[in-house]
Amino acid sequence: MSVMGDHGGLVTSDQEQQKWLDEASTSVKRNAFFMKKALDEDNLREALRYSAAMLGELRTSQLTPQKYFELYMQTFTELQHLEMFFKEEHKKGRQYSDLYELVQHAGYVLPRMYLLCTVGSCYIRSKETAAKDILKDLVELCKGVQHPTRGLFLRSYLCQVSRGLLPDVGSEYEGAGGDITDAVDFLLVNFTEMNKLWVRMQHQGSNRDKDRRERERQQLADLVGRNLTYASQLDGLDYKLYQGVVLPRVMEQIIQCKDNIAQQYLMQCVIQGFPDEFHVSTLDVLLGALPELQGSVKVHVILASMLDRLASYATTDESVLETYSQADAFSKLSAAATKVAQQQSEMPAGDIASMYIALLGFTGKVYPDKLDYTDKVLTECYQALQRRELSSDPRAEKQVVALLSIPLDTYDAVTVLGLHNYPSVMSLLSPPTYKQMAVTIVQSMLKAGTLVGSEAKVGMLFDFISPLVKDVPGALDHTDDEDFAEEQNLVARMVHQLRSDDPDEHFQILKTARQHFSTGGPRRVKHTLPTLAFSALQLVRVLKKRQDSGNAAETSCKTVLQFVHGIVAPLADVPVAELALQIYLQAAYSASEVAHLEMIAYEFMEQAFILYEEAIPDSKAEITALQSIVGTLHKCRVFSPENRDVLVHKATGYSAKLLKKADQCRAVCTCSHLFWQEETPATQDAEDEEPSSAGDGDGSAVQPLVRDADNVLSCLKRALKIANAAQQQLAVALKASDTSPAFLYVEILNQYLYYFEQGLPNITASVIQSLLELVANEISSDSCKQDERLQKFYSNSMEHLKVQKDREGDLGERYEALKL
């Protein structure tokens, strides 16, 4: 079924459209064949008759613009043959004026006009008469075709065949043929008539076909815009002619047509077609037209296009910036955006935000050093949006986020957060979107490496990113655990950007950060407080270095370490006891080896022991924690013998309480290192330091290295007993174990070898020899021979013995006594 269309034709299916196109195309081919045959026979009248019949197919009202275009192009190709014949006739002596009159005898207006345009183009080339007269005659005669589609394609043909024939400056047709004003007038008249035809399409037919008509009009838009494109390419078009003639006539037609599709497209044609320097000098005209456009026109798209064009122009030449300043471009553009937002009260919030996005982008590119301009754009955007509800408009919120992100790409985050109206615009966002914007701010800081170096700015930063730091009252958080952890890790990374070269200011920054983090609840603090603690421990090193150089800060190492203690305590309650224990140990090491504060270091160790006893969840975690405790205690040299004995006794006692014999054995071996501290460059430097009390008041002396060979040997012997007990236990259980007792023997052997190389007097070659024989006996059992990992471990140990035995010096002589 088909229904009547808006231009007297039919709205039909694609199959019917194709059928009609095929029929018309067949007719064109047939008539073109007879036309070319007549041309070959030099029969002009027959050629014109068949050409008129061929062109008559363009009188159809049944085809859509897309199908009509295909027919038009086929006919256009065939007309080239007729044009060549006219040129040949002229060479034979026939005047173009005769041909120009002859073709006017065609029966129908449309074929007659196509023939006139074809002859007219040849007539102009011959220069028998002035180009301006023929152009004026043709553009006026084309008014005889008022059908929108047919008229548009006819005038498009006229525009196409006359290109290169206009009396432009420097053209061969200038002078007697006319001047640049005649060329401009021809294109503007043709443009005006085409636009009228184009707009008329919208008002023909029923309302139910409105969407189809709009699609068809969009397909024909380029035909209308071609006139403006050709006008912008005229060599003789200068600013005076553009400002005095072209722009006023074009803008008059755009505004008076009162058609949203035409206004949208033609404004873009003007902006994109004509030179940038013209736009700068005619900003008042262009911007003044925006409020006069139809309410359904996407003014924000037009303004954005203009702003992008002007911004790109500014990057090509620095002198352009001076031109912008003289033209007061920013004020005009800003005022235009405000006026549009006020007058078009129905404009969606997303479109308003898009308009200010373009203005803010222009400001950032052209005036990067004028923060007041950026702030003014934010102010106007806030005023335009505050009366609209953004929370129910996802697109608008997305655009506002994009708007707020633009300054972050131009300036550092601290500068942006200092803008007076930035928080006002952020306040328009719903809680989830506000949180997304907070993430963007933190990411921008980290990407740019922005440092925040004052307590006030840190407080301001935390106010901006508050949804990441604490729960927002009345807002539901639907973030899953993985995304939440990622957000908190961003905040934790941000902590390293909060620092100052002034240690006192740095400490105040850390205190401010702690105040905000403490409101985040257990779910957040396990991510954020550890980073804050390690940042504070870095400050301890800075303070100690300044203290030793005689330039002590008001903040003392003791104060910062007490601050760290207050940070870690909440972590133990979260609970993330293992993490809290590791931070306690790190703090103990800093208190001992950096600040030389014995009692504070002892307090940290004591808290670590308490956590070990009360909060470590399983045996595997106990082993890891005990190794960390022993490792830290081994490196700490600030403890007095009495305090150290208490801590060492406690640590060694833990090793006997482990569940598995293998774990007990390894723990005892590890504890043996508590009784023997080796010489390292770090310990040598510590011995050379004098304990300082500047700024702390209780600086402690670094104690001598612990060298208790008897206790070392006692631990190793105890490890052998535990390994033997593990072997007997395995025999009774009659089942496989995670660790073979023989494996433990090889590990103990390596511990003996380490101390043997350290030169412990009670670990002699004979002791090592006896142990070697014991291990060799264990390894030789059938069950051990099948254990590839054990055999490899033992083989590597024996290889080490051989290498050491072949070395020169005291170590080689010591190993020489061993028999392998």
Side-chain angles (χ1 to χ4, degrees):
M1 179 179 289
S2 61
V3 296
M4 292 301 296
D6 55 326
H7 49 266
L10 295 174
V11 182
T12 59
S13 65
D14 291 340
Q15 292 85 349
E16 289 176 305
Q17 283 285 311
Q18 188 61 45
K19 177 183 176 182
W20 289 335
L21 176 61
D22 292 341
E23 291 174 355
S25 179
T26 302
S27 178
V28 168
K29 291 178 182 177
R30 182 176 62 253
N31 287 301
F33 170 77
F34 288 115
M35 179 191 72
K36 287 183 278 189
K37 182 179 180 181
L39 293 177
D40 293 339
E41 294 172 353
D42 204 19
N43 189 340
L44 178 59
R45 289 192 176 276
E46 283 297 300
L48 291 178
R49 184 169 72 87
Y50 283 114
S51 64
M54 175 186 70
L55 291 165
E57 294 300 326
L58 293 175
R59 298 175 61 244
T60 180
S61 299
Q62 294 177 316
L63 298 178
T64 63
Q66 185 176 6
K67 297 298 182 181
Y68 191 92
F69 174 73
E70 295 182 32
L71 184 63
Y72 165 81
M73 289 305 300
Q74 183 182 358
T75 308
F76 177 83
T77 303
E78 299 299 345
L79 281 175
Q80 308 305 308
H81 300 288
L82 186 61
E83 182 180 352
M84 294 300 297
F85 178 76
F86 289 154
K87 292 179 181 178
E88 292 298 325
E89 286 292 296
H90 180 67
K91 291 179 181 179
K92 295 176 182 179
R94 186 183 288 271
Q95 296 295 314
Y96 276 121
S97 57
D98 296 336
L99 292 172
Y100 195 69
E101 291 182 6
L102 183 60
V103 297
Q104 296 187 44
H105 291 90
Y108 293 106
V109 175
L110 187 66
R112 183 192 313 155
M113 291 311 306
Y114 273 101
L115 292 173
L116 272 173
C117 292
T118 305
V119 176
S121 66
C122 298
Y123 200 178
I124 295 173
R125 288 191 181 90
S126 70
K127 301 179 184 177
E128 292 180 8
T129 188
K132 64 179 181 179
D133 295 334
I134 300 175
L135 292 171
K136 184 176 181 180
D137 189 41
L138 290 174
V139 79
E140 290 296 327
L141 287 172
C142 283
K143 291 180 180 179
V145 180
Q146 290 297 311
H147 184 280
T149 304
R150 296 197 290 264
L152 284 171
F153 277 96
L154 171 62
R155 288 188 175 275
S156 176
Y157 179 73
L158 172 61
C159 187
Q160 192 167 354
V161 296
S162 61
R163 188 182 187 188
L165 304 178
L166 303 178
D168 190 11
V169 172
S171 168
E172 58 181 303
Y173 307 104
E174 186 188 18
D179 56 23
I180 181 63
T181 57
D182 296 308
V184 168
D185 186 66
F186 166 75
L187 290 172
L188 292 180
V189 170
N190 200 47
F191 159 73
T192 301
E193 294 300 323
M194 290 184 76
N195 189 48
K196 290 178 181 178
L197 293 171
W198 190 39
V199 172
R200 190 181 304 159
M201 291 180 66
Q202 188 67 28
H203 306 290
Q204 294 181 343
S206 61
N207 287 332
R208 66 172 177 267
D209 296 329
K210 180 180 178 183
D211 292 341
R212 179 185 59 80
R213 286 198 303 270
E214 290 182 351
R215 289 195 301 271
E216 291 180 354
R217 290 191 62 203
Q218 296 288 0
Q219 295 171 358
L220 296 172
D222 288 344
L223 299 181
V224 183
R226 189 174 297 166
N227 294 278
L228 298 181
T229 301
Y230 289 168
S232 68
Q233 295 172 350
L234 293 173
D235 293 335
L237 182 66
D238 55 17
Y239 171 71
K240 183 178 180 181
L241 184 60
Y242 172 79
Q243 186 265 344
V245 178
V246 177
L247 185 61
R249 289 176 62 177
V250 172
M251 297 307 298
E252 179 184 13
Q253 182 59 217
I254 292 175
I255 294 172
Q256 289 184 355
C257 74
K258 298 186 183 303
D259 180 81
N260 61 311
I261 295 178
Q263 290 179 341
Q264 186 81 50
Y265 174 73
L266 295 177
M267 285 297 293
Q268 290 284 18
C269 285
V270 172
I271 293 169
Q272 299 299 332
F274 292 97
D276 297 314
E277 54 269 25
F278 289 3
H279 295 329
V280 176
S281 301
T282 57
L283 267 181
D284 292 333
V285 178
L286 292 172
L287 298 176
L290 297 181
E292 299 185 42
L293 301 179
Q294 297 298 296
S296 56
V297 174
K298 297 179 179 179
V299 179
H300 68 283
V301 175
I302 298 172
L303 187 58
S305 178
M306 184 188 305
L307 289 165
D308 290 342
R309 187 81 188 267
L310 294 175
S312 299
Y313 179 48
T315 60
T316 61
D317 188 355
E318 293 184 359
S319 62
V320 175
L321 300 178
E322 182 63 28
T323 305
Y324 283 178
S325 298
Q326 294 175 356
D328 197 16
F330 173 77
S331 297
K332 293 177 180 178
L333 292 166
S334 176
T338 302
K339 189 173 182 180
V340 168
Q342 291 174 346
Q343 292 189 351
Q344 299 196 7
S345 57
E346 299 300 320
M347 179 181 285
D351 292 350
I352 292 177
S354 297
M355 183 170 61
Y356 282 105
I357 284 173
L359 182 57
L360 197 59
F362 169 81
T363 305
K365 291 179 181 178
V366 180
Y367 307 104
D369 56 335
K370 294 189 176 182
L371 282 172
D372 55 323
Y373 282 8
T374 299
D375 207 26
K376 183 177 180 182
V377 175
L378 294 172
T379 303
E380 294 174 352
C381 181
Y382 173 71
Q383 292 173 349
L385 294 176
Q386 64 178 337
R387 295 181 297 274
R388 291 170 168 82
E389 183 61 40
L390 266 65
S391 59
S392 58
D393 189 347
R395 176 177 173 271
E397 283 206 318
K398 185 177 181 181
Q399 294 297 91
V400 172
V401 169
L403 174 79
L404 293 168
S405 301
I406 290 175
L408 294 173
D409 296 332
T410 307
Y411 313 102
D412 62 77
V414 177
T415 302
V416 171
L417 298 180
L419 296 170
H420 295 301
N421 292 286
Y422 198 87
S424 300
V425 179
M426 279 191 72
S427 67
L428 298 172
L429 301 173
S430 62
T433 312
Y434 191 108
K435 185 177 182 181
Q436 177 189 346
M437 192 63 226
V439 171
T440 302
I441 292 173
V442 176
Q443 289 174 333
S444 175
M445 280 187 60
L446 296 175
K447 182 179 179 180
T450 304
L451 299 180
V452 187
S454 73
E455 181 184 0
K457 290 181 178 179
V458 168
M460 180 176 62
L461 172 62
F462 276 105
D463 289 339
F464 272 100
I465 65 168
S466 58
L468 298 178
V469 180
K470 62 182 179 181
D471 293 327
V472 178
L476 298 177
D477 191 353
H478 300 290
T479 309
D480 59 37
D481 291 340
E482 185 176 349
D483 290 341
F484 181 83
E486 185 176 346
E487 291 173 357
Q488 295 307 304
N489 286 337
L490 280 175
V491 177
R493 289 171 56 196
M494 182 194 71
V495 171
H496 295 295
Q497 305 302 118
L498 313 180
R499 64 176 185 267
S500 171
D501 292 334
D502 180 2
D504 296 318
E505 182 72 23
H506 190 171
F507 184 55
Q508 293 303 318
I509 288 173
L510 296 179
K511 288 169 65 177
T512 300
R514 181 191 170 186
Q515 290 174 0
H516 286 276
F517 286 148
S518 63
T519 63
R523 192 180 178 204
R524 288 183 174 86
V525 296
K526 66 180 181 181
H527 296 281
T528 54
L529 289 186
T531 308
L532 191 63
F534 282 105
S535 182
L537 292 178
Q538 290 177 341
L539 178 60
V540 171
R541 292 183 177 275
V542 174
L543 290 170
K544 180 61 177 176
K545 186 175 181 180
R546 289 190 54 164
Q547 178 181 314
D548 292 343
S549 65
N551 186 27
E554 292 183 9
T555 304
S556 65
C557 294
K558 180 179 180 180
T559 303
V560 177
L561 288 168
Q562 290 172 337
F563 172 76
V564 173
H565 190 283
I567 291 175
V568 185
L571 290 175
D573 301 328
V574 170
V576 279
E578 296 169 73
L579 177 59
L581 184 143
Q582 295 295 333
I583 299 176
Y584 273 135
L585 294 177
Q586 189 64 44
Y589 177 79
S590 295
S592 171
E593 302 308 292
V594 177
H596 304 321
L597 298 172
E598 179 185 5
M599 297 314 298
I600 292 182
Y602 189 91
E603 169 64 18
F604 281 122
M605 290 299 302
E606 184 179 88
Q607 292 300 320
F609 283 135
I610 292 173
L611 279 179
Y612 179 86
E613 293 176 352
E614 298 179 354
I616 299 302
D618 54 56
S619 58
K620 186 176 181 180
E622 284 181 341
I623 296 169
T624 303
L626 182 57
Q627 289 173 341
S628 299
I629 289 173
V630 172
T632 302
L633 191 54
H634 172 72
K635 292 183 291 185
C636 292
R637 296 187 54 204
V638 76
F639 296 120
S640 64
E642 296 80 9
N643 288 332
R644 182 179 178 81
D645 287 345
V646 173
L647 296 173
V648 169
H649 177 75
K650 199 72 173 174
T652 53
Y654 290 147
S655 63
K657 296 179 181 180
L658 295 175
L659 180 62
K660 297 180 180 180
K661 292 295 183 182
D663 294 337
Q664 291 181 19
C665 180
R666 291 193 176 100
V668 170
C669 288
T670 302
C671 288
S672 68
H673 292 273
L674 295 175
F675 301 102
W676 191 271
Q677 293 176 316
E678 62 274 15
E679 190 76 56
T680 64
T683 59
Q684 185 61 45
D685 292 341
E687 289 178 353
D688 294 339
E689 291 182 6
E690 290 293 333
S692 172
S693 60
D696 291 326
D698 60 348
S700 306
V702 176
Q703 301 296 323
L705 293 172
V706 175
R707 297 294 178 89
D708 188 348
D710 292 337
N711 272 318
V712 170
L713 185 58
S714 175
C715 286
L716 295 179
K717 289 180 177 180
R718 184 180 172 194
L720 284 171
K721 290 180 180 180
I722 297 173
N724 183 52
Q727 189 177 39
Q728 295 176 7
Q729 182 182 10
L730 184 63
V732 172
L734 297 176
K735 64 178 183 178
S737 174
D738 294 338
T739 303
S740 168
F743 210 98
L744 295 176
Y745 282 123
V746 179
E747 290 184 16
I748 296 171
L749 171 62
N750 279 276
Q751 292 289 339
Y752 268 93
L753 292 176
Y754 168 77
Y755 290 117
F756 183 59
E757 293 177 8
Q758 288 291 316
L760 270 70
N762 52 356
I763 299 182
T764 60
S766 60
V767 172
I768 299 295
Q769 189 68 52
S770 299
L771 186 58
L772 284 172
E773 294 173 359
L774 173 63
V775 173
N777 183 53
E778 291 293 333
I779 291 295
S780 62
S781 65
D782 294 337
S783 60
C784 292
K785 289 180 180 179
Q786 297 175 2
D787 190 337
E788 294 183 3
R789 193 166 68 95
L790 173 60
Q791 292 296 327
K792 184 66 175 178
F793 185 24
Y794 178 68
S795 175
N796 289 340
S797 300
M798 298 308 294
E799 186 65 28
H800 172 74
L801 282 169
K802 293 177 183 177
V803 171
Q804 296 295 74
K805 191 171 183 178
D806 294 337
R807 292 181 61 176
E808 298 180 355
D810 293 341
L811 192 59
E813 292 179 0
R814 201 176 302 158
Y815 273 91
E816 187 65 31
L818 297 178
K819 296 179 181 180
L820 304 181

